[in-house]
Amino acid sequence: MFPWDTGGMYTVELYARVRRAVHVEGRSQREVAREFGLARKTVRKMLAYPAPPGYQRQKPMLRPKLGPWQDAIDAILEQDKTRPRRQRHTAKRIFERLREEHGYTGGYTIVKDYVRQLKIGAREMFVPLSHAPGEAQADFGEALVVVAGVECEAHYLAFDLPHSDDCFVVAFPAETTEAFLEGHVRAFAYLGGVPTRILYDNTTLAVARILGDGERQKTRAFSELQSHYLFAEKFGRPAKGNDKGKVEGLVGYARRNFMVPIPRVASWEELNVHLEAACLHRRQRRLRGHRETIAERFERDRAALLPLPAAPYEACEKITTRVTSLSLVRYRSNDYSVPTEYGHRQVLVKGYVHHVVIVCGSEVIARHERSYERESAVFDPLHYLALLEHKSRALEQAAPLAGWQLPDCFLYLRRLLEMRLRKHGRREYIQVLRLLETFALNEVSGAIEDALRMNTISFDAVRHLVLCRVERRPPRLDLLNWPHLPLPRVRTTAPADYMTLLAGPRTPSAPSNMEVV
């Protein structure tokens, strides 16, 4: 303890009055001490220093009452280092455990001060870093958004270039492999090049396993992405977010500035247009401690970036599977339909962020909007029409056709076909539906309306009218245009046949020369 430790009890104003009385007014220390009610030793200290030097401890504080329990406190805090941050001991909880489990009889304050001193001493210190141009950091963040009227959580991938502080942010419905890949493709296109090295946390999207020597076994998807763009990777220490502090700060900045107030957009693409515009606008800022704007410093980053490859990476997850007997393919817990002709065959499923593509051999056989629900079925009614044509009795209960919104003219045509042709009318109606496999909905519905107006209720008539619409020619609904119909052949009547009629009835066995074939 310094010899002036008691000086901390007096204010700077009192110091000034005492010092002025002695040094300026020339009064004695004895007289000043008597006037201000101070000891002469205290007055001498005030004359030696222009302001109270403050209290400074030279030796560690002795805690004789806590001494026997310090080891127990140290053990609790050491165990906390391996526990989740939100489930670590507070000073109050340690105090309670000392009393309940170790018979501690002292007060709470001394425990609290000791715990605070240990925690402050255990805090990690950091070295300021400089960053070479062309390097980047990447991480995911979450924020609430409203897409097409539905409030949901957006998972946005943030890229930060620490040298220039330039950034790129892109949002997805979920934090998936395909989102991770597409985020890189979009970021590289935005930057106009590929960072030389990117720092990540140990996300399972990139790291399959951390080996015993600290090496990372990378996922196949990440290795393919890296091979395509040729950037180097670096991974932070597990559970150490400060290793990539720049992008950690960007994640919070993007949430507070780019997504407040909560964005209300019609689609995910509209949201990403908004985020990209926000990133471009931020480039014009000049950050604290810099004389150049972000855009000016980004030019050095741009010069160091690797060139983009000739074609972008196909950002999707690929799995092989087999089509079920219901003509369905399962991807990420949801089922997607394919044409029934591909039943029981091996197919390749490509899962993109917003759609799913199914390939058999080199042919794309189905394309669906991506579903982020669980255990749902996504049907394309057209996939099942060929099978329904042979199993027309299943038309009423066909799940793929449930909820299929078609113009009213389709239902009216079906009623007329079934009234005129009975059970065969259902099959003709399915044949009309199959025209949608080739022609657009507006073309087929227009042809049906024409057929209803002309009272030509048949599949052949509708097909003829569709072709006339597509080829822009007038319809010709005469028998010569319907080769599938039998043509009537009438034999010329001979004059002798009239004499036969005049002769009256003849026997059933008598031949007749007048017949229609």
Side-chain angles (χ1 to χ4, degrees):
M1 186 180 298
F2 287 104
W4 55 75
D5 61 315
T6 56
M9 295 185 294
Y10 302 109
T11 65
V12 178
E13 289 77 11
L14 181 60
Y15 263 67
R17 291 171 63 189
V18 169
R19 289 168 57 81
R20 181 176 177 80
V22 175
H23 291 307
V24 177
E25 298 174 5
R27 298 162 64 182
S28 68
Q29 296 182 25
R30 182 192 299 273
E31 181 184 357
V32 171
R34 188 184 310 112
E35 179 181 343
F36 289 96
L38 300 172
R40 278 184 287 174
K41 180 180 178 181
T42 301
V43 172
R44 285 196 299 271
K45 294 176 185 176
M46 290 181 172
L47 296 176
Y49 299 96
Y55 177 86
Q56 298 185 35
R57 185 179 300 279
Q58 290 182 314
K59 296 180 180 180
M61 180 184 294
L62 299 177
R63 298 183 176 89
K65 291 186 178 181
L66 192 62
W69 292 276
Q70 286 184 5
D71 289 343
I73 296 175
D74 293 345
I76 291 173
L77 294 177
E78 186 65 28
Q79 290 176 356
D80 272 358
K81 293 179 180 179
T82 62
R83 302 291 187 268
R85 186 171 297 276
R86 295 182 181 180
Q87 289 182 265
R88 295 179 183 177
H89 286 77
T90 61
K92 181 175 180 297
R93 182 62 186 136
I94 292 176
F95 169 69
E96 292 171 349
R97 287 191 61 186
L98 290 178
R99 296 186 65 179
E100 296 168 2
E101 301 174 17
H102 301 278
Y104 174 65
T105 57
Y108 168 67
T109 302
I110 192 171
V111 175
K112 179 186 68 176
D113 292 342
Y114 180 68
V115 170
R116 181 173 65 247
Q117 179 183 347
L118 289 181
K119 287 186 176 182
I120 291 175
R123 288 181 180 175
E124 189 175 2
M125 300 298 292
F126 307 101
V127 177
L129 302 177
S130 62
H131 300 276
E135 296 187 351
Q137 299 178 3
D139 197 13
F140 268 103
E142 296 82 32
L144 282 180
V145 297
V146 178
V147 180
V150 179
E151 185 177 83
C152 54
E153 189 173 66
H155 299 261
Y156 58 95
L157 184 59
F159 283 83
D160 182 271
L161 274 62
H163 176 78
S164 64
D165 290 302
D166 193 29
C167 70
F168 178 73
V169 180
V170 59
F172 304 101
E175 187 176 334
T176 59
T177 296
E178 53 274 17
F180 181 74
L181 299 175
E182 185 172 328
H184 283 74
V185 174
R186 290 191 178 217
F188 298 159
Y190 172 82
L191 298 173
V194 181
T196 55
R197 184 173 66 170
I198 304 177
L199 174 62
Y200 304 91
D201 59 14
N202 293 278
T203 171
T204 56
L205 302 176
V207 179
R209 201 170 73 180
I210 301 178
L211 304 179
D213 55 358
E215 289 293 318
R216 271 70 169 177
Q217 180 181 330
K218 294 177 286 189
T219 63
R220 178 180 177 84
F222 181 71
S223 296
E224 288 182 359
L225 178 75
Q226 193 174 18
S227 177
H228 190 85
Y229 288 104
L230 303 179
F231 61 90
E233 88 289 346
K234 183 178 180 181
F235 296 102
R237 294 172 295 169
K240 295 289 184 179
N242 50 276
D243 282 358
K244 49 181 180 50
K246 284 282 190 177
V247 74
E248 292 280 355
L250 173 61
V251 166
Y253 177 88
R255 184 186 298 111
R256 295 188 301 271
N257 294 273
F258 298 171
M259 290 178 252
V260 174
I262 293 177
R264 296 179 176 272
V265 294
S267 65
W268 287 97
E269 192 56 38
E270 182 181 337
L271 174 61
N272 286 326
V273 169
H274 160 73
L275 294 176
E276 183 172 336
C279 294
L280 285 171
H281 180 71
R282 182 177 177 272
R283 274 186 176 174
Q284 308 311 314
R285 293 188 57 198
R286 185 179 64 82
L287 302 185
R288 180 179 178 274
H290 296 279
R291 295 183 178 181
E292 300 172 299
T293 64
I294 294 175
E296 291 169 339
R297 289 185 287 127
F298 172 67
E299 292 304 317
R300 292 191 289 274
D301 270 321
R302 190 197 301 274
L305 295 177
L306 301 173
L308 289 169
Y313 179 74
E314 188 179 23
C316 65
E317 183 183 25
K318 303 183 183 75
I319 65 168
T320 56
T321 186
R322 189 174 294 278
V323 181
T324 68
S325 60
L326 296 176
S327 200
L328 294 173
V329 169
R330 182 157 297 173
Y331 175 69
R332 292 288 185 93
S333 82
N334 295 315
D335 293 326
Y336 298 87
S337 70
V338 299
T340 54
E341 62 189 276
Y342 294 96
H344 305 287
R345 295 175 65 176
Q346 197 83 7
V347 294
L348 173 68
V349 181
K350 295 182 178 181
Y352 297 84
V353 173
H354 297 296
H355 56 277
V356 173
V357 175
I358 304 168
V359 180
C360 184
S362 60
E363 180 185 3
V364 175
I365 61 174
R367 184 185 298 269
H368 293 276
E369 290 294 317
R370 173 79 178 269
S371 172
Y372 283 93
E373 298 179 6
R374 293 190 61 82
E375 300 179 1
S376 64
V378 182
F379 295 113
D380 183 343
L382 300 180
H383 291 164
Y384 293 87
L385 295 180
L387 182 61
L388 281 171
E389 189 175 354
H390 299 286
K391 299 185 176 184
S392 59
R393 295 180 63 181
L395 180 63
E396 295 293 343
Q397 296 178 292
L401 274 60
W404 193 13
Q405 299 296 324
L406 292 172
D408 294 339
C409 60
F410 280 82
L411 182 59
Y412 188 42
L413 176 69
R414 178 183 174 182
R415 285 204 301 264
L416 292 178
L417 285 171
E418 292 181 350
M419 286 174 56
R420 296 185 179 186
L421 302 176
R422 304 297 181 183
K423 64 180 182 180
H424 298 294
R426 190 185 301 122
R427 181 171 287 108
E428 283 227 3
Y429 175 68
I430 295 172
Q431 290 175 335
V432 171
L433 292 179
R434 292 199 64 186
L435 291 173
L436 294 171
E437 297 172 349
T438 306
F439 303 101
L441 176 62
N442 63 320
E443 293 171 341
V444 177
S445 61
I448 292 175
E449 290 172 356
D450 291 342
L452 294 173
R453 187 173 60 255
M454 298 176 184
N455 199 27
T456 52
I457 311 303
S458 70
F459 161 68
D460 293 305
V462 174
R463 181 180 60 179
H464 173 73
L465 292 169
V466 168
L467 291 172
C468 290
R469 280 178 165 268
V470 172
E471 298 170 2
R472 298 183 180 277
R473 58 182 173 86
R476 295 183 59 190
L477 292 174
D478 55 66
L479 295 179
L480 295 178
N481 286 324
W482 305 103
H484 66 284
L485 294 177
L487 291 176
R489 290 181 297 157
V490 181
R491 181 179 298 173
T492 304
T493 303
D497 293 332
Y498 288 101
M499 299 303 296
T500 304
L501 292 174
L502 292 174
R506 58 182 178 177
T507 59
S509 59
S512 174
N513 293 326
M514 188 170 55
E515 61 177 335
V516 177
V517 179

